[in-house]
Amino acid sequence: FKGTPSKWFPKEAQAMMDEHPAIVGMELAQFGKKDIITSYPENFSVAKEAGIVEVCKNIKENTNDGDSEPRMVAPVELADGSTGAVCVVPIFLFNAKDVKFNQWGSLTVVYKLPDLISEANITSIPEKNYIYRLYGNNPLLTDDGEILTSVAEMPAETESSSAIVPQGLWLLKVAPD
């Protein structure tokens, strides 16, 4: 990419949002003496999303220097009251002078969680006479991190399966209806 992020980022972000409708917004942060933040859409801001600010702070505090792994956390409450997920991807550029990769910044992507998981077709499980509950990995929550459920109470005996998400694990519990 050539030029400043404010010139190329909106076009690239829009292309990602067109391909992935679950994306609410994105923020590209270039670290330096003064961090430069470029958001898309223009009215989107992580700073306006109270639940996400704490998650991003927690991710930053728990990321080792030089760690290039993306980190995804859910559930988080979005400013509009809906449930979301946040993914922070560190960006590294090669510094030929020092012959190493330096962290240039990060990309934060915020999703509407129901839209994000709809592609997995989890909500069709009851059609096959099963009930389910999906749990996330937000360490800031005091509850069990429930993301989605088809019932108020799950029985004691369930089958479960886990899915690895960046720097976390989500758990799906299923039982006969």
Side-chain angles (χ1 to χ4, degrees), residues 129-148:
N129 298 317
Y130 288 92
I131 56 177
Y132 68 89
R133 184 163 287 156
L134 178 65
Y135 299 90
N137 65 328
N138 186 344
L140 300 175
L141 292 178
T142 55
D143 61 16
D144 59 10
E146 180 183 304
I147 293 174
L148 191 66

Side-chain angles (χ1 to χ4, degrees), residues 150-170:
S150 64
V151 293
E153 294 276 331
M154 286 293 287
E157 291 190 32
T158 63
E159 292 295 324
S160 63
S161 179
S162 57
I164 297 173
V165 296
Q167 294 297 316
L169 193 69
W170 289 5

Side-chain angles (χ1 to χ4, degrees), residues 62-152:
N62 291 298
T63 301
N64 297 324
D65 192 30
D67 186 358
S68 61
E69 284 291 315
R71 303 193 187 284
M72 185 172 216
V73 176
V76 294
E77 184 176 345
L78 301 180
D80 66 4
S82 64
T83 302
V86 61
C87 185
V88 178
V89 182
I91 301 169
F92 288 83
L93 297 178
F94 185 71
N95 179 336
K97 181 180 171 187
D98 297 334
V99 193
K100 68 175 190 171
F101 284 91
N102 295 324
Q103 188 168 9
W104 176 87
S106 65
L107 174 66
T108 301
V109 182
V110 179
Y111 300 90
K112 288 265 189 190
L113 196 53
D115 296 345
L116 180 63
I117 61 177
S118 71
E119 292 178 25
N121 208 17
I122 291 172
T123 55
S124 70
I125 292 173
E127 294 169 13
K128 296 174 177 45
N129 298 317
Y130 288 92
I131 56 177
Y132 68 89
R133 184 163 287 156
L134 178 65
Y135 299 90
N137 65 328
N138 186 344
L140 300 175
L141 292 178
T142 55
D143 61 16
D144 59 10
E146 180 183 304
I147 293 174
L148 191 66
T149 187
S150 64
V151 293

Side-chain angles (χ1 to χ4, degrees), residues 46 48-56 76-79 86 138 140:
V46 167
K48 291 179 188 173
E49 299 281 351
I52 294 173
V53 169
E54 283 302 308
V55 167
C56 289
V76 294
E77 184 176 345
L78 301 180
V86 61
N138 186 344
L140 300 175

Side-chain angles (χ1 to χ4, degrees), residues 4 10 19 24 33 37 40 53 55 60 104 126 139 149:
T4 61
E19 191 170 324
V24 174
K33 291 177 186 167
I37 308 291
Y40 190 83
V53 169
V55 167
K60 204 172 200 179
W104 176 87
T149 187

